[in-house]
Amino acid sequence: MHLKHFTVAFGQQIFKAFGDESRVRILHLLWRNREMVVADLEQVLDFTQTKTSRQLAYLKNAGLVSVRRLDNWMFYSLKDEAAALVLQLLEFMARDPLLLRDQRNYQTLWSNRELAAYKLQNRHWTGGAHRRRPRSISSNSAS
């Protein structure tokens, strides 16, 4: 599909995609970083896995995002056919504070993968974060 010959239906999909903040943030990160996995998008955007996957599925079905599988990882990127138009639209928003913050967060996570893994691991832990460990008998009797 060439940019100068797209249909009205494709144009609607593009503008619907840009009508949602979550999808714009994902597209912006994919534009800046070329390719990302769901876990990185979740962490940077502070989205749930469900929300991230749902938005990526929408973008994929709209013809804006492609996916490639490597072992258990799914890598998402902007689709070549739609990249020119998406890039033009994103360039208008390139200085948006929210989008800039997303990119800074991703760069921080990328530069320190151990921190990213730690944050991701703790974010998905659903146990009582503020639960206290039971005291041992010896610590209770020391009054």
Side-chain angles (χ1 to χ4, degrees):
M1 169 186 324
H2 293 281
L3 185 60
K4 59 185 176 183
H5 298 294
F6 69 91
T7 64
V8 171
F10 182 66
Q12 282 182 309
Q13 290 176 328
I14 288 174
F15 291 113
K16 283 181 182 178
F18 275 86
D20 182 86
E21 179 183 292
S22 301
R23 292 190 290 261
V24 170
R25 291 173 71 190
I26 290 170
L27 288 168
H28 181 260
L29 285 168
L30 293 176
W31 171 44
R32 292 285 185 196
N33 304 294
R34 298 185 189 244
E35 193 174 58
M36 295 180 73
V37 295
V38 173
D40 285 340
L41 288 166
E42 286 176 49
Q43 186 65 33
V44 170
L45 301 170
D46 196 27
F47 291 171
T48 64
Q49 187 275 329
T50 304
K51 180 176 182 175
T52 307
S53 294
R54 186 177 66 244
Q55 298 300 349
L56 285 166
Y58 182 93
L59 293 169
K60 183 180 173 215
N61 291 336
L64 301 177
V65 169
S66 61
V67 62
R68 74 176 178 91
R69 182 182 201 101
L70 180 63
D71 297 325
N72 290 332
W73 294 95
M74 303 293 279
F75 290 86
Y76 291 87
S77 60
L78 289 179
K79 202 167 190 176
D80 290 338
E81 295 86 3
L85 179 59
V86 170
L87 297 180
Q88 286 180 355
L89 292 172
L90 287 171
E91 283 177 354
F92 288 111
M93 297 177 252
R95 293 189 178 171
D96 181 83
L98 180 61
L99 299 179
L100 292 173
R101 187 187 77 207
D102 288 345
Q103 181 61 23
R104 278 192 311 271
N105 288 345
Y106 179 70
Q107 288 171 333
T108 299
L109 293 173
W110 181 255
S111 66
N112 189 347
R113 297 308 284 178
E114 288 181 23
L115 176 62
Y118 174 77
K119 284 183 175 181
L120 188 61
Q121 179 184 12
N122 286 333
R123 180 167 173 253
H124 292 293
W125 182 62
T126 58
H130 302 290
R131 248 186 236 163
R132 292 183 181 176
R133 263 194 271 167
R135 292 184 182 185
S136 66
I137 295 173
S138 61
S139 64
N140 285 339
S141 60
S143 357

